[in-house]
Amino acid sequence: MEANYTELLAWARGPGFEIALAIFTFGIILRLLEILMLGRKKDYFVARESRFGGGFRTMFSRFFVSGKTLQRSWFIIVVGYAFHLGLFVVLFLFTPHIILIQSSLGLNWPGLPSTLVNTVTIVTLLAMLALLFNRLTHKVTRYLSTLQDYFVWLVVFLPLLTGYMAYNHMGLSYQLMLALHILSVELLMVVFPFTKLMHTFTTFTSRWYTGASAAQRGVNI
Amino acid sequence: MAKATFERGYNALKEQIDAPIASFLSSCVHCGMCAEACLFYAETGDPRYTPIRKLEPLRKVWKQEYTLLGKLTSLLGIGKLTDGELAEWKEYVYDSCTLCGRCSLVCPVGNDLVYMIRKTREGLAAAGHAPEGQIEASKRAIKTGSPMGVTLHALNAQIKHVEANTGLSVPLDVQDANYMVLLSSMEIVNFPEYLEAIAKIMHQAGESWTLCSDAFEATNSGIQIGSSDIARELVSRVVNNAEKLNVKVVISPECGHAYSAIRWEGPNLIGRAYKFKVQHILEVLDEFRAANKLKTEGFEESRLTFHDPCQLVRRGGVVQQPRNLLNMVSKNFVEMEEHGIDNWCCGGGGGQSAIEEAEELRTKAFNRKKTQLDQLGVETLVTACANCRIVMEEGLEAYQMDIPIVGLTEMLVEHLVEEGGK
Ligand code: SF4
Ligand code: SF4
């Protein structure tokens, strides 16, 4: 049996990863082109401010929420932040991940202690469960949610869970867990360009467009 | 106008889609935050009124026409837009949306939701699913120049009345004036004080101005209903006449969406810049104030607050001017908790107030403004939009609240120093 897992792991690390990376990269390029090539019509009104400043400002200002909006949506904001920051830490500040990125891209930066990342993973998983609970129980999110929302949730949850289990030698054999971890990441990469996961990139173009048009009207958002 | 069909509606939606919309639709994570920003959800708790849901027809067309995946699934007949669905969406795109733009401020991924809802209206209008009240208003606007059917005859009567009252002359069709003043039909019918106020202010400031007999209406029902053809026709009338009269500035009246229509949408509709400048009356008044051409005396006695018309603040950038002006005549001006670009809509903007069957919903939505007013305990409500004013007067009546509503321009005129500023 062990031999099979070695093979599986080797496939996941080799051809599997290459296929996933190709779909991920070309998919994202295709989707971004699909969006940007549509262009936008020229404006003929006399603008109060340039698009550039406002577009740039909103790309960052939307990270901050305050006042009544924070009060009204505090749960999704706090838990959403915990999840996003946690995911970022686990993905980019876990030393084995950095080594992997270094081996393919040549970039290198210091990671956090593994035990800390381990704790962050637990927080991230809990945040995801809380978000799922919210999605299922809040009347607006329950109403809005489609199959894709649940599917995407699962596809993000699995790499976190399998990674956590592999690191802590839980469940199945380490090799199998690691193989499952890598495969689940590959699944994530494959569906990424064709689902709402694209917001990782398009959040910035969206904020840009919204901020730019608000600035033209002299509205600072 | 061509006959309304589903095909025209579908194509109209298809034409609207640009890079910003594709980006917005790719970004939505279904977090639900936009619902909390919308007064229709906030006051009813009905998730069907969630802003992102209101543009579902647009999303379907985008998916089907502009994404690889959507093209494949639509081959299998999945996710196709139907005429029935378009018809059903009238309730979301018109009845429960005032195009107030509040939702566009909160979306974490930065979606400009109101931009998309406005575009979705183009599809419904072309497919013949716009509200009856708005269709009628647009027809009247095309035929008579005014959505309420107000004729030049009625305007002339009012001009005479104002001239008799003030002893000032109200110029009509004068060449080369600095300012050409537009009105909204509602002002001509319900608030004749506005024209009188303009005559007095212009006299004091010593500015040349004129009305135009072929283009006195500022509102644009084409934009509210979502028909670029009608909107273009209406805006062209103003532009052509203003350029013929060779005026320097066209003044949009106390009306929020009229300002949006002529200031922002107009030039894009006709595909060129104007040869004149467009200002909202509050911008003009604030300039007069800064140049010492607007002189007032005395202060209002009552405790008052200001209702920001959505199109002026969030979609227009006119935020500070009304505050400067109010402070000239009041020492007792208090702000609502959420004001300026965060204000809550009156509940009847964007043509919503022309929809009879949505009256109940409008009254419900007004509860938001009522709550804001209750918190302050003010005696007077000031605003700068004839439509907000009518909607709020009806709302206050429905909730049996006795707060007078005053237009800011008229309030200032009450305090104008006699003899003018010479
Ligand atoms: S707030 Fe933005 S991301 Fe959230 S549901 Fe609304 S449109 Fe989608
Ligand atoms: S524009 Fe205003 S009324 Fe329309 S959906 Fe957005 S918040 Fe609601």
Side-chain angles (χ1 to χ4, degrees), chain A residues 144, chain B residues 27-34 52 107-109 111 113:
Chain A
L144 286 181
Chain B
S27 303
C28 176
V29 290
H30 284 167
C31 71
M33 276 176 68
C34 49
I52 188 71
C107 171
V109 299
N111 287 353
L113 289 141

Side-chain angles (χ1 to χ4, degrees), chain B residues 309-330:
Chain B
C310 305
Q311 300 298 321
L312 272 195
V313 281
R314 255 193 305 280
R315 308 302 282 179
V318 181
V319 183
Q320 195 46 49
Q321 292 90 334
R323 290 164 172 86
N324 296 343
L325 295 165
L326 264 171
N327 284 326
M328 285 178 84
V329 296
S330 170

Side-chain angles (χ1 to χ4, degrees), chain B residues 34-35 37-41 49-52 54 92-93 96-104 113-115 117 121 310 314 344-345:
Chain B
C34 49
C38 176
L39 78 169
F40 291 98
Y41 171 76
Y49 297 147
T50 303
I52 188 71
K54 293 177 183 168
Y92 310 126
V93 176
S96 62
C97 180
T98 58
L99 303 181
C100 81
R102 217 170 170 280
C103 44
S104 297
L113 289 141
V114 66
Y115 178 77
I117 298 173
R121 284 191 179 183
C310 305
R314 255 193 305 280
W344 287 94
C345 177

Side-chain angles (χ1 to χ4, degrees), chain A residues 129-175:
Chain A
L129 288 171
L131 288 172
L132 180 64
F133 179 77
N134 183 66
R135 187 169 287 293
L136 287 164
T137 54
H138 190 290
K139 62 181 167 187
V140 172
T141 43
R142 194 168 70 180
Y143 179 78
L144 286 181
S145 297
T146 61
L147 206 59
Q148 198 205 105
D149 291 295
Y150 297 105
F151 176 64
V152 164
W153 181 90
L154 187 71
V155 165
V156 176
F157 191 77
L158 285 179
L160 282 163
L161 183 69
T162 51
Y164 179 78
M165 289 174 76
Y167 174 79
N168 292 291
H169 295 274
M170 290 161 73
L172 312 160
S173 79
Y174 176 72
Q175 247 186 355

